[in-house]
Structure formats: structure tokens, C-alpha cells
């Protein structure tokens, strides 16, 4: 027995939450779990929008069966063919002999790559902009390739203005009863996880997200139903604006992310001196992290949020300290761009960390390198003047940006 939720006229949430999974895509930590959303439109036709991950098969099938109450399922729309949304397709085909699977050419190609059941006779192919009349409602399909895979499409229900947005506008985090973003303290409880979800899962495809957002212009959206995370029925502009920032690689706030690696606390000490100096100069929104203790997905999200980045790392065996090397590579792979950066390097006999960090950053788009400050093993009193000049330059840049934003 599950608690199915009606979220609009003839529309039911029939998904499930998983608090057991440790790593999303076996890579990203899930401290608060994750929700897999599936939605059932129950009008003249019974239409399921997306399915769920195998982990929540049982609650999903119980939910679905309960709402259908003996009716057959007519269509399942596959907005996104990644297995976290599609792993129940074969089970549905077995249960509902007349079921048609709505998707596009790429969706069907992926279904046949991932699954071995005889799906093809059930395929109902749609093209970009096509509609599916359901009698009392009409669905319209808008292709949104690479938000997050090439086959992704959004489904728009025209009568009530409901957008089923696949991975877009979702977040990590299991549900605690509330299904709507306006029922929770979203900014405190979910925004960080929505940003971490977007930046790490879809972050590379900012251009494609921009293209998808453009396609939605002029569409009257009253409800956003994502495939993960909370549903939006109020203040839709809030999450649309966040997506606009993230997908344009534009910082949400003026501030400084200080991310360091430190083997014996000496590089950390320099970063603390930099952070303290920035605070003394009136810089706000400083956040410092040890890259050895913080998952890169958190740092990626923080870097997408923040205007200025300071990276500090020791040299390690003539190379860049591995955790920092990994972080910068991930940032490059996710296309992070247009940030102002400063570097703190350390080395005892062959210091190359600042040079190697600068090299990696130079290969990323729009990264302005303000300067590097280097120490040999530890910070010395003799470097005080040089350090103050380094902090001055960084602080001026942050304060200038803050002034522009305020003005
Ligand atoms: Fe939630 Fe791209 O799958």
C-alpha cells in the first residue's frame, strides 16, 4: 500500500524515493537520497510519463496499480531513456498488452540497446513539435537533446500548461512527504542539491540547455514536473532563472571559493591567510574547502555558483597534487568557464603546482588568471608584502564586481 498523490486534475505522482543508494550513477554521493518521479495522466486515455529506477520498482508498481484501479495503461511517454527512468518498461509491457511506448527515433534506438524485450511493435514515434491528442488533452513534444542525453524530450500538456521536463529542473534528495517546492524551505534544503545535480550531470551541455530554454519561450507553463526532485507550481521563474545562470556559466553570486589541497597544513595556512585578508578588505561570501575531504561534485557546484575561485595545492612528485588535478580536470570536462581565478602554489624542491594549475585553467574558456602566489614549503615573513599585494588584487576584483552588481 503506497500513498499516491494527486498533483493536479487527473494527474498523479506515482514515483518513489530511494534513501539506500549511496552514489548516483555510482559516482555522486547522495546524503539525502534521490527521488524518481513518474506521473500518471488519467483522462480519456491513461498515460504514464516516464518510469523509475529498479530500486523503487515495488512502490512504483503499487502506486500505478492503485491509481489505474483496473484500467489498462494506454501509453508510456519516455522523455529520457536513461535507466533511472526506464528500467520498468519491460515489466509494464508484460502487464499491459496494449501499451504503446511514445518516444523518438533515438529513444527507440537506446531502448533496443539497453533492453532485450520485443519493444518495437509498441513504438509510437514522435518528431520534434508533434502532438498526441488524447481526447480531453493534448500532449506536445519538444526535443531537448543533451539535456542530458541525445534522445531527451520535454512533454507539454496543453490544457493545463504542464511541462514534464525529464532531468531538467530536478535535484538530488529523496522526498519527505512534500512534493512541491513551495511546501519546503527550498533555498535552504534543496537548492544546493539542485545545483549539484545540474552542474555535475548536465553542466557540460550549457549550450543545449540554453537552446531548450529558448524553445520554451512563449509557452505558458503552470506546472513543472521534473523526473527527479520537487514539482514547481509557484514561482517558476526562480528555477528557470537558476538554469539560465548555470547554463550560461554565469556566477549566481559574487564571492570567493577557496579550494585547497594540503599535505601538512602549510598550503592550508596560506589559504587561511588569503581568506582572512579578503575578509579584512570587506569581501563577503567566502567559502573554503579541503579538496581531499570534499567530493568534487560539491566543489563543481560551488564553482558554478561563485564568481572568483582560488585554488591552492602543493607539488607532488613533480606533478600537481592528485586531488586538485582531478578537480580541475572535472571542471574542464563540465565546461566551467568565465571565472576569475587566483592560484596558490607550494613545492619544496621542484615547485610546479601553480604552473600546472595555470596550464589546466588556460585550456578552459574565459578563465581570467589574476595571479599566482607561491611558497617554498611554508609561508615566510619575508613574503608578507608580496602576499598582501596578491590579496589586494584579488579583493579589488571581487569588490569591483560586487559594486557593479549593486550598482
Ligand atoms: Fe535522471 Fe539523465 O537521468
Amino acid at each position: 500500500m503506497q500513498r499516491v498523490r494527486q498533483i493536479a486534475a487527473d494527474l498523479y505522482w506515482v514515483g518513489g524515493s530511494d534513501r539506500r543508494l549511496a552514489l548516483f550513477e555510482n559516482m555522486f554521493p547522495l546524503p539525502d537520497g534521490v527521488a524518481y518521479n513518474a506521473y500518471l495522466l488519467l483522462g480519456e486515455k491513461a498515460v504514464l510519463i516516464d518510469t523509475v529506477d529498479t530500486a523503487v520498482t515495488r512502490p512504483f508498481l503499487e502506486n500505478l496499480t492503485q491509481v489505474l484501479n483496473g484500467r489498462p495503461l494506454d501509453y508510456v511517454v519516455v522523455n529520457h531513456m536513461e535507466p533511472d527512468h526506464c528500467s520498468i518498461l519491460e515489466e509494464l509491457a508484460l502487464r499491459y498488452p496494449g501499451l504503446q511506448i511514445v518516444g523518438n527515433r533515438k529513444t527507440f534506438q537506446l531502448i533496443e540497446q539497453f533492453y532485450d524485450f520485443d519493444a518495437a511493435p509498441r513504438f509510437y514515434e514522435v518528431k520534434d513539435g508533434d502532438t498526441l491528442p488524447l481526447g480531453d488533452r493534448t500532449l506536445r513534444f519538444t526535443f531537448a537533446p543533451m539535456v542530458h542525453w541525445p534522445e531527451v524530450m520535454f512533454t507539454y500538456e496543453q490544457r493545463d500548461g504542464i511541462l514534464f521536463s525529464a532531468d531538467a529542473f530536478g535535484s538530488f534528495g529523496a522526498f519527505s512527504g512534500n512534493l512541491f517546492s513551495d511546501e519546503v524551505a527550498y533555498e535552504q534544503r534543496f537548492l544546493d542539491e539542485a545545483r549539484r545535480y545540474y552542474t555535475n550531470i548536465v553542466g557540460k551541455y550549457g549550450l543545449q540547455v540554453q537552446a531548450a530554454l529558448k524553445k520554451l519561450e512563449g509557452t505558458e507553463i503552470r506546472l513543472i514536473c521534473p523526473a527527479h526532485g520537487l514539482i514547481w507550481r509557484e514561482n517558476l521563474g526562480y528555477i528557470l532563472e537558476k538554469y539560465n545562470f548555470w547554463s550560461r556559466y554565469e556566477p549566481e553570486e559574487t564571492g570567493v571559493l577557496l579550494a585547497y589541497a594540503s599535505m601538512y597544513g602549510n598550503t592550508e595556512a596560506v589559504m587561511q591567510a588569503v581568506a582572512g585578508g579578503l575578509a579584512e578588505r570587506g569581501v563577503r561570501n567566502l567559502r573554503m574547502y579541503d579538496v581531499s575531504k570534499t567530493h568534487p561534485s560539491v566543489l563543481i557546484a560551488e564553482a558554478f555558483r561563485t564568481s572568483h575561485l582560488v585554488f591552492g595545492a602543493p607539488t607532488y612528485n613533480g606533478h600537481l597534487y592528485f586531488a586538485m588535478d582531478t578537480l580541475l580536470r572535472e571542471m574542464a570536462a563540465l565546461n566551467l568557464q568565465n571565472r576569475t581565478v587566483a592560484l596558490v602554489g607550494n613545492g619544496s624542491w621542484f615547485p610546479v603546482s601553480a604552473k600546472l594549475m595555470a596550464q589546466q585553467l588556460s585550456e578552459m574558456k574565459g578563465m581570467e588568471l589574476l595571479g599566482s602566489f607561491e611558497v617554498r614549503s611554508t609561508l615566510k615573513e619575508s613574503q608578507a608584502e608580496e602576499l598582501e599585494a596578491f590579496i589586494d588584487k584579488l579583493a579589488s576584483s571581487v569588490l569591483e564586481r560586487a559594486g557593479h552588481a549593486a550598482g
Side-chain angles (χ1 to χ4, degrees):
M1 167 74 185
Q2 290 293 311
R3 185 165 289 275
V4 168
R5 302 282 300 282
Q6 183 166 4
I7 55 173
D10 308 326
L11 179 62
Y12 299 83
W13 176 86
V14 291
S17 280
D18 183 359
R19 285 190 162 77
R20 290 186 172 194
L21 187 67
L23 298 171
F24 187 77
E25 295 182 350
N26 214 9
M27 190 152 46
F28 304 104
L30 289 175
D32 299 313
V34 65
Y36 304 102
N37 297 331
Y39 304 93
L40 183 64
L41 269 171
L42 207 55
E44 288 183 29
K45 298 285 183 187
V47 183
L48 180 67
I49 317 285
D50 293 316
T51 75
V52 294
D53 188 81
T54 42
V56 294
T57 302
R58 187 171 168 188
F60 164 74
L61 288 173
E62 287 176 6
N63 285 343
L64 182 66
T65 310
Q66 185 183 332
V67 185
L68 283 171
N69 194 22
R71 272 185 69 169
L73 184 63
D74 297 300
Y75 297 103
V76 56
V77 175
V78 181
N79 277 331
H80 184 15
M81 226 314 292
E82 192 161 5
D84 56 332
H85 306 294
C86 278
S87 57
I88 318 293
L89 279 180
E90 182 173 5
E91 179 65 30
L92 290 179
L94 287 170
R95 288 178 176 228
Y96 303 104
L99 179 70
Q100 290 190 277
I101 301 173
V102 181
N104 56 60
R105 196 172 47 81
K106 288 179 181 158
T107 321
F108 298 150
Q109 188 184 326
L110 288 167
I111 287 177
E112 291 186 323
Q113 284 174 213
F114 274 90
Y115 304 115
D116 289 325
F117 72 101
D118 189 20
R122 299 170 181 277
F123 288 164
Y124 183 104
E125 185 178 338
V126 294
K127 299 202 162 41
D128 192 16
D130 274 2
T131 55
L132 173 62
L134 301 171
D136 51 345
R137 293 173 182 274
T138 303
L139 300 181
R140 191 178 78 221
F141 306 98
T142 301
F143 288 9
M146 303 320 297
V147 185
H148 150 225
W149 279 15
E151 88 300 353
V152 168
M153 59 186 197
F154 297 160
T155 297
Y156 178 68
E157 191 287 316
Q158 297 188 161
R159 191 187 79 188
D160 294 334
I162 305 167
L163 181 74
F164 299 96
S165 60
D167 278 341
F169 313 118
S171 74
F172 294 130
F175 290 153
S176 305
N178 298 123
L179 292 185
F180 294 95
S181 61
D182 57 274
E183 296 176 316
V184 301
Y186 188 86
E187 202 144 276
Q188 288 82 33
R189 282 281 290 114
F190 278 90
L191 178 60
D192 285 349
E193 285 297 80
R195 186 186 299 105
R196 190 166 69 90
Y197 178 82
Y198 171 83
T199 56
N200 287 278
I201 307 296
V202 193
K204 176 178 178 183
Y205 302 112
L207 263 180
Q208 291 86 343
V209 172
Q210 278 291 304
L213 291 175
K214 209 165 183 54
K215 275 179 154 181
L216 293 178
E217 279 175 10
T219 302
E220 190 186 350
I221 302 168
R222 292 197 283 275
L223 194 67
I224 298 179
C225 296
H228 301 283
L230 294 156
I231 299 162
W232 291 83
R233 64 182 170 188
E234 287 182 12
N235 202 11
L236 272 50
Y238 176 85
I239 193 69
L240 287 164
E241 190 193 18
K242 293 292 179 196
Y243 263 64
N244 210 12
F245 273 112
W246 300 336
S247 57
R248 283 186 286 128
Y249 304 100
E250 193 174 308
E252 280 167 82
E253 71 176 33
T254 301
V256 186
L257 164 69
L258 300 110
Y260 69 86
S262 192
M263 294 160 67
Y264 299 105
N266 296 312
T267 308
E268 179 185 1
V270 182
M271 295 292 278
Q272 292 286 5
V274 171
L278 290 170
E280 280 170 8
R281 287 160 174 81
V283 173
R284 304 166 68 132
N285 297 324
L286 299 164
R287 290 195 187 84
M288 185 178 291
Y289 295 91
D290 181 339
V291 300
S292 300
K293 290 193 172 170
T294 313
H295 193 270
S297 65
V298 172
L299 300 170
I300 296 283
E302 288 290 62
F304 267 74
R305 180 217 301 257
T306 313
S307 62
H308 289 67
L309 316 175
V310 183
F311 299 109
T315 303
Y316 192 86
N317 288 346
H319 192 71
L320 177 58
Y321 189 88
F322 298 154
M324 181 59 74
D325 187 55
T326 301
L327 174 64
L328 295 180
R329 281 180 201 283
E330 289 196 24
M331 280 184 183
L334 290 165
N335 240 338
L336 181 69
Q337 46 195 274
N338 306 329
R339 294 297 186 272
T340 307
V341 186
L343 301 173
V344 169
N346 196 351
S348 295
W349 63 92
F350 181 60
V352 291
S353 58
K355 188 182 94 183
L356 293 174
M357 286 190 283
Q359 199 173 309
Q360 288 201 40
L361 289 158
S362 72
E363 290 162 13
M364 296 162 69
K365 274 190 208 156
M367 292 297 199
E368 182 194 356
L369 182 57
L370 279 184
S372 301
F373 178 77
E374 294 190 68
V375 296
R376 285 270 178 151
S377 307
T378 61
L379 179 62
K380 295 287 188 261
E381 197 55 47
S382 58
Q383 292 183 284
E385 206 174 306
E386 186 195 348
L387 178 62
E388 293 307 308
F390 175 76
I391 299 170
D392 272 341
K393 194 169 180 186
L394 182 54
S396 300
S397 173
V398 183
L399 294 171
E400 190 185 324
R401 187 179 195 278
H404 281 150

